[in-house]
Amino acid sequence: MKDTVGGTPTPSTLLLDWIHDGPVVAVLEGFTGVGKSTLVRRLAQSTSLPTAHVYGTTESLGVEDVLFELAAEFEHSGSDLMAKRIDENLIKVFDAMMRTECLAVIDDFHELVDPKTKLPPADFYNLLKRLATRHSKARLLLVTDQRLPFARTIELPIITLGPPDESDAMQLLDQLLISRRVEGEISPDLRSDVVQWVGRNPRALRALVSCLVDGDSLDDLIELQPEAWDVRYQAFSPSLVGKLEAEFLDRVIGRLESPSLLLLECLSVYRKPFVKAGIQPFAHKVGDVSRAYADLIGRFLLEHSTGWVTLNPVTRELARKRMEADQRRAREMHSLAAAHFLRHFKAKDKSDLPSRGSEFVEARYHLVLGGKEEAFQDLAEEYGGYLLANFGKSRPIPSDPKIARQTASTIIAALRGKRSGYPEARHTAARILESLGGHEDLLLALRHATVASSQTRDFQVWVLRVRLTARLETFSATVAALRQADSVLPAEALAHVYFAGIKVWMERQAPVRDLLGMLNHALPLSHGAPSSWVLYQLASVLLAAEGRYPDAFDLLVSHTARLERASPNLGLVIEQAALLAFAGGDRQGLQRIRDILVKRFERKNLEHLIDCLRHQLDHDFLEASIIQPVTGGSSAASLNYQLAFSDLCLGRPADALQRLKGLRSTHPAHVWVRSLAHFLLGHHHAALQHLRKYSSLALHEPNVDEEPSLAAWIKTWSRRSIAPGNDAAFVFPRIPSELTGLQHDIVRTVSADASLDSETLARIRTTDDFPVSSDDHLPEEGSTPEAGESFPSTPTVQTIIHFDQSGARMGDNNYVQQAGAVGSNATAPNGTFNQIQAGGGSDLDLTALAQELALLRAALRRQPDSEENDIALAEVGRASRAAQEGDQGKTLEHLRAAGKWALQTANSIGVALAATAIKTSIGMP
């Protein structure tokens, strides 16, 4: 291996220097397939330090597994400091290990990073921050395929391993072609192009050569991703290279003989490198397993190096999907893999258990996924102390059901034979089991929650117990559990516990009188507690469901009057009172709330909300729409929902989306009104995504009509949520004639359904008849330049005039090149403008631009589905058509709407002219 390249130290040299001189923690990052793991294994062999090399894995239970495996690996390497203390908290034990002279490598560390927060588990992150400033001879190397933003935050040294340079990549390609006797398939003058096409990635080059061996021509392979070939010298895109490799490997795998394909699918159950003996459990299934193994090695689908067999992650994922298509066969494969790891635990001598950490972790994984949980519980008894110390504490519920199943099984196995104690572990197991949702899971969750509640006053444990009791048992059993809570918990906690039980029985549609009876018992117990407002909210909804609107209204008003001005939930209670009055068309009620409550508590946004609802009752949506929320004030979100709805009634869906921009609420009403705004703008894919989300949140039914109409949106709005008050119609109880085109409003309250017969639905206008204002072409959220971006000093951005029913609306101090009216009070009735083109009217090569936009559109199609990508894809398509037609103004208009998402993709695939045009359209220099 080279020590330097052009005088610059290689990664291997930098790693050796790091081991000698520190600091304690470093990161080795690089794209997948460039040889990071091979480099690290060689590094470990070159040092005399006690060394442990472990992997973060998919479907891992977290850092606890990794630390347990580190303990075992260090013991194999001569240090038993961690292995002797596996029954303790392993974060603390690893901290102690990092004060000794040792080398720990955690490969694929990105698997331990939360995809939302971009951080590792909190305890481990805190340890990393301490290690970053510690002086010690210990070394910890984090190896990753992905950038780790937190590593830069805490200033960890980062060593980057890129692909080989062009000459090395060409040398590798030459060797591969000669070794497989296909050197004639790629002429020498094209080999430089080929290595650039696959990003000089060694693994992708091997996959390419495998395809050539199978009879594919280079031209055949180029056609898989022609746009990648076209931009091979313009930009290096790891995502394009990854897709190319997957395309190559999919072709190779599809041509395997049956024994080789079966062995590959069997081996895909292994999550990490394995010893060659790991093939034997599948020998009886495969037949001539040695021949199949040699075939996979020869096709570069497996690699055998330094005693370990590696299945590259792309190959594993492709093969695993094939294997898991048959769930019965998948369970069988996991059971066979489990037997491979269980063989280590058959000896009667248990003294080496700590050194079997890796085998235990993998045996657990395969036993649970193989449906052999009883066998796992037998094994887990040997590690009960370790499991309770490291898994028994409170932890987030895993989002992946497979990980959740493993975690719950692990905790329950550790609790086996223990009739009492460990309330935190039982609560964690019960929460995870509840998330899995199977009937047996729920029964087991209730059992553990009941035992835990007998030994703690943690109200969250009681909330879970009461919720599960309400789901699984009778109403009287729920009442009995609540009575036990009465004698244990303080008033503040009781409100939450009663809320949990009543909400479930609302969903189970218990008689309203029974639920009101439960509330009548609960309200005096929690009276005065800050959390009691949730019970008053429930009571008001139930009273309204019986048609007792005055009682519901009075209950909320009387309760609110007793709240302190600083109460954090005051606004929510007043909002609900206002919505109940609005649903009943009670103008006097709205005025009473304004006079009695809003003025007393001085909540400006609440005052605006009530004014907005009164204007809506009068069908004065224009007056409602000009209300300005107090930024950052309480109830701003609820007010913006109503203002957005008013915009829709005025035919201004783009303005509605602008109002909703930045709101992060997942309230069903927010999701529904956003979906309707997208639909009215013609963004049907985004509209359907939001409607499915709404249906899932409010109705627990994720499926919706794939060919929706405005009538379909109204039908979805009219349907009741399982729990009263949790649907769009509670917030928007009146759909006015301005929106539907009918001669009357449609009203749906908590107690009365909307009148929506087939004749009424048929008369609801189509979107073609919907009077969308002239601002409907405004770019959607995410497409405008971000704050802080630099702009040209002279105005070069296309001017867009916002029209509504009263004329043009523009902000003050507007500086524009051409406009019929400027200023907040200016109007420009019947104005016609020739809009000025972006870039000061400079000409673009529209023919070349159209070609690049076609490449950009193809790249956007391969991106994961998201609202931003859907918008960009549609607008780039429109821009491409406009460019083909020679219309520069429209081309730039659509590119401006495509926004920065399209710009990022254009930069990543190297379509320079398209990127420049997008920058110009949005005013970037």
Side-chain angles (χ1 to χ4, degrees):
M1 186 175 292
K2 297 178 182 178
D3 293 328
T4 64
V5 176
T8 302
T10 63
S12 58
T13 304
L14 292 173
L15 285 172
L16 288 172
D17 291 344
W18 165 70
I19 285 181
H20 291 136
D21 302 325
V24 173
V25 188
V27 175
L28 175 64
E29 66 178 26
F31 300 125
T32 181
V34 298
K36 298 184 300 298
S37 297
T38 301
L39 175 62
V40 169
R41 282 196 289 268
R42 291 175 181 168
L43 175 71
Q45 291 173 344
S46 70
T47 180
S48 59
L49 297 175
T51 301
H53 183 184
V54 300
Y55 290 80
T57 57
T58 56
E59 299 164 9
S60 164
L61 301 200
V63 73
E64 292 86 357
D65 279 353
V66 169
L67 294 174
F68 191 29
E69 294 186 62
L70 281 170
E73 293 299 313
F74 274 128
E75 186 172 49
H76 287 310
S77 189
S79 174
D80 63 355
L81 186 153
M82 292 186 71
K84 290 189 300 185
R85 299 171 58 185
I86 62 167
D87 289 355
E88 302 176 33
N89 182 311
L90 283 181
I91 290 279
K92 295 180 180 178
V93 176
F94 185 58
D95 191 352
M97 186 74 195
M98 287 288 96
R99 297 179 185 277
T100 70
E101 195 170 2
C102 64
L103 169 63
V105 178
I106 304 179
D107 215 328
D108 291 337
F109 188 81
H110 52 270
E111 297 288 357
L112 301 179
V113 174
D114 186 301
K116 294 181 180 177
T117 66
K118 309 297 184 188
L119 295 173
D123 288 350
F124 196 78
Y125 183 42
N126 290 332
L127 173 61
L128 289 176
K129 288 192 285 187
R130 293 196 299 273
L131 294 178
T133 59
R134 180 179 296 174
H135 296 286
S136 167
K137 293 186 177 181
R139 299 290 179 265
L140 171 60
L141 183 64
L142 311 179
V143 184
T144 174
D145 292 348
Q146 302 169 13
R147 286 172 61 88
L148 302 177
F150 76 84
R152 290 157 173 83
T153 301
I154 60 177
E155 298 181 345
L156 298 180
I158 296 171
I159 301 168
T160 300
L161 181 62
D165 60 28
E166 184 175 350
S167 62
D168 286 345
M170 288 183 63
Q171 183 179 356
L172 173 61
L173 177 59
D174 291 343
Q175 291 170 353
L176 292 171
L177 293 171
I178 292 169
S179 68
R180 294 303 188 267
R181 300 180 180 178
V182 288
E183 58 267 39
E185 293 298 320
I186 303 178
S187 63
D189 61 316
L190 279 178
R191 292 180 187 178
S192 174
D193 294 289
V194 168
V195 298
Q196 291 298 134
W197 176 44
V198 298
R200 309 195 305 275
N201 188 296
R203 206 172 64 201
L205 284 170
R206 293 186 179 96
L208 166 69
V209 171
S210 288
C211 287
L212 297 175
V213 171
D214 281 340
D216 287 313
S217 70
L218 179 60
D219 287 340
D220 293 335
L221 300 177
I222 289 173
E223 283 303 308
L224 296 175
Q225 296 275 350
E227 68 276 7
W229 179 265
D230 292 338
V231 299
R232 60 194 180 279
Y233 280 105
Q234 295 181 36
F236 171 63
S237 168
S239 62
L240 279 179
V241 172
K243 289 171 185 174
L244 269 176
E245 182 186 5
E247 293 267 17
F248 298 158
L249 290 171
D250 194 42
R251 294 169 79 91
V252 173
I253 292 170
R255 294 164 177 160
L256 290 173
E257 295 180 355
S258 293
S260 299
L261 178 59
L262 179 56
L263 179 59
L264 184 67
E265 291 177 0
C266 292
L267 297 178
S268 71
V269 300
Y270 291 132
R271 302 184 293 174
K272 57 183 72 172
F274 51 91
V275 295
K276 191 175 179 181
I279 296 171
Q280 293 311 310
F282 309 108
H284 70 284
K285 304 281 296 181
V286 174
D288 191 348
V289 71
S290 297
R291 180 181 175 187
Y293 174 74
D295 185 29
L296 297 179
I297 290 284
R299 293 173 181 270
F300 306 116
L301 298 175
L302 290 181
E303 180 183 356
H304 192 177
S305 174
T306 62
W308 294 96
V309 180
T310 303
L311 193 64
N312 90 53
V314 180
T315 301
R316 178 182 182 253
E317 188 61 25
L318 291 169
R320 189 167 66 100
K321 284 181 179 177
R322 289 171 175 262
M323 182 264 296
E324 290 182 345
D326 182 343
Q327 286 300 308
R328 184 190 62 78
R329 188 161 68 107
R331 286 193 294 272
E332 181 186 6
M333 295 303 104
H334 279 293
S335 296
L336 292 172
H340 168 65
F341 293 105
L342 284 172
R343 63 194 170 93
H344 297 285
F345 300 95
K346 298 206 171 174
K348 292 183 180 179
D349 180 12
K350 305 297 183 184
S351 61
D352 67 341
L353 282 177
S355 69
R356 298 297 177 190
S358 181
E359 289 84 354
F360 169 77
V361 168
E362 294 309 300
R364 178 197 64 211
Y365 169 72
H366 293 295
L367 285 170
V368 172
L369 294 188
K372 308 285 186 183
E373 294 190 44
E374 191 67 29
F376 167 60
Q377 291 186 9
D378 292 337
L379 172 64
E381 282 191 85
E382 307 291 345
Y383 292 94
Y386 153 70
L387 295 176
L388 285 173
N390 291 280
F391 290 93
K393 57 191 176 182
S394 181
R395 58 197 298 119
I397 297 175
S399 57
D400 186 325
K402 291 180 180 178
I403 301 175
R405 175 71 62 193
Q406 285 187 74
T407 306
S409 297
T410 298
I411 299 171
I412 290 167
L415 291 168
R416 190 177 185 182
K418 298 175 174 62
R419 296 182 178 274
S420 61
Y422 306 101
E424 189 176 15
R426 294 182 192 278
H427 181 222
T428 299
R431 287 169 48 241
I432 297 172
L433 287 166
E434 183 190 33
S435 75
L436 291 169
H439 185 66
E440 294 300 321
D441 295 320
L442 296 176
L443 289 173
L444 187 56
L446 177 57
R447 192 168 80 201
H448 281 286
T450 301
V451 174
S453 68
S454 68
Q455 298 167 349
T456 182
R457 294 190 175 191
D458 184 341
F459 82 92
Q460 293 181 336
V461 175
W462 280 91
V463 164
L464 180 59
R465 176 189 169 182
V466 168
R467 183 169 66 239
L468 289 167
T469 302
R471 290 182 68 179
L472 298 169
E473 299 189 359
T474 63
F475 190 84
S476 59
T478 307
V479 171
L482 288 168
R483 295 297 180 270
Q484 291 182 37
D486 291 348
S487 63
V488 175
L489 299 177
E492 171 65 18
L494 282 175
H496 294 288
V497 176
Y498 271 85
F499 177 85
I502 294 170
K503 192 167 185 295
V504 173
W505 279 106
M506 288 172 71
E507 293 173 356
R508 292 184 65 179
Q509 299 181 333
V512 172
R513 63 180 180 277
D514 291 343
L515 297 176
L516 287 172
M518 193 181 284
L519 278 165
N520 283 333
H521 177 82
L523 287 172
L525 294 174
S526 61
H527 180 68
S531 60
S532 63
W533 68 275
V534 298
L535 299 183
Y536 283 91
Q537 279 196 312
L538 277 183
S540 69
V541 171
L542 291 170
L543 288 168
E546 285 202 322
R548 296 165 58 184
Y549 276 89
D551 291 341
F553 179 76
D554 288 342
L555 180 70
L556 286 176
V557 172
S558 62
H559 173 65
T560 307
R562 290 195 297 268
L563 290 176
E564 296 294 330
R565 177 175 295 186
S567 173
N569 302 305
L570 174 67
L572 295 173
V573 183
I574 298 178
E575 285 172 24
Q576 183 153 324
L579 289 172
L580 288 174
F582 177 56
D586 186 354
R587 289 176 174 79
Q588 291 183 346
L590 286 171
Q591 186 62 44
R592 183 180 168 201
I593 295 172
R594 199 178 194 281
D595 293 341
I596 296 176
L597 300 178
V598 175
K599 288 185 178 179
R600 174 190 167 193
F601 293 114
E602 297 179 358
R603 301 289 180 97
K604 200 66 179 175
N605 279 335
L606 282 172
E607 185 177 337
H608 289 331
L609 175 63
I610 292 170
D611 289 342
C612 182
L613 295 176
R614 291 167 65 192
H615 290 314
Q616 287 187 17
L617 280 177
D618 295 333
H619 287 243
D620 193 349
F621 298 104
L622 184 59
E623 194 67 26
S625 72
I626 64 176
I627 293 172
Q628 294 296 319
V630 177
T631 305
S634 63
S635 301
S638 297
L639 174 56
N640 273 304
Y641 300 160
Q642 298 298 338
L643 295 175
F645 188 75
S646 298
D647 285 329
L648 293 182
C649 296
L650 289 169
R652 302 195 315 230
D655 281 1
L657 280 181
Q658 280 297 109
R659 292 205 194 264
L660 298 171
K661 185 178 180 180
L663 297 181
R664 302 300 179 193
S665 170
T666 56
H667 191 288
H670 177 197
V671 180
W672 179 82
V673 76
R674 186 183 286 271
S675 76
L676 181 55
H678 278 297
F679 176 62
L680 295 176
L681 276 170
H683 305 143
H684 288 177
H685 186 72
L688 279 169
Q689 279 189 318
H690 281 86
L691 194 62
R692 290 190 194 102
K693 183 177 180 181
Y694 169 76
S695 187
S696 181
L697 286 169
L699 309 175
H700 295 192
E701 295 178 10
N703 296 322
V704 296
D705 189 347
E706 293 296 327
E707 295 294 337
S709 61
L710 184 56
W713 250 262
I714 305 300
K715 280 175 64 178
T716 305
W717 160 87
S718 71
R719 295 182 59 196
R720 295 187 176 278
S721 61
I722 294 175
N726 194 42
D727 49 41
F730 187 80
V731 177
F732 310 116
R734 298 171 171 275
I735 304 294
S737 56
E738 286 85 348
L739 195 58
T740 64
L742 301 173
Q743 297 300 311
H744 58 84
D745 296 349
I746 303 173
V747 181
R748 206 225 76 186
T749 65
V750 177
S751 60
D753 289 331
S755 298
L756 278 179
D757 53 33
S758 58
E759 184 179 344
T760 301
L761 288 170
R763 293 203 313 270
I764 292 176
R765 63 161 47 110
T766 66
T767 48
D768 292 337
D769 300 327
F770 189 76
V772 176
S773 175
S774 60
D775 62 359
D776 69 320
H777 65 284
L778 285 175
E780 280 187 87
E781 52 205 72
S783 66
T784 52
E786 295 178 1
E789 225 171 60
S790 58
F791 291 87
S793 57
T794 57
T796 59
V797 182
Q798 171 180 344
T799 301
I800 298 178
I801 307 300
H802 304 253
F803 282 90
D804 61 30
Q805 294 172 355
S806 64
R809 299 185 299 110
M810 306 189 66
D812 291 331
N813 301 319
N814 291 287
Y815 182 31
V816 296
Q817 285 182 301
Q818 177 180 4
V822 176
S824 60
N825 296 314
T827 60
N830 305 314
T832 301
F833 304 96
N834 295 315
Q835 294 179 336
I836 298 173
Q837 295 176 351
S842 58
D843 290 333
L844 292 169
D845 183 344
L846 294 178
T847 302
L849 179 59
Q851 293 173 348
E852 289 204 359
L853 291 177
L855 292 175
L856 175 57
R857 196 173 180 212
L860 287 167
R861 278 203 192 97
R862 294 190 300 273
Q863 299 281 0
D865 281 347
S866 71
E867 183 177 323
E868 293 89 347
N869 192 61
D870 292 337
I871 294 167
L873 180 59
E875 294 295 345
V876 168
R878 295 180 185 120
S880 180
R881 286 193 295 275
Q884 291 168 6
E885 294 166 0
D887 190 332
Q888 179 167 316
K890 282 192 176 180
T891 301
L892 293 169
E893 179 181 332
H894 289 304
L895 289 180
R896 181 174 185 267
K900 299 190 73 176
W901 186 272
L903 178 58
Q904 291 169 4
T905 307
N907 285 328
S908 72
I909 67 170
V911 283
L913 181 58
T916 300
I918 297 170
K919 286 182 181 179
T920 301
S921 72
I922 62 177
M924 290 180 66

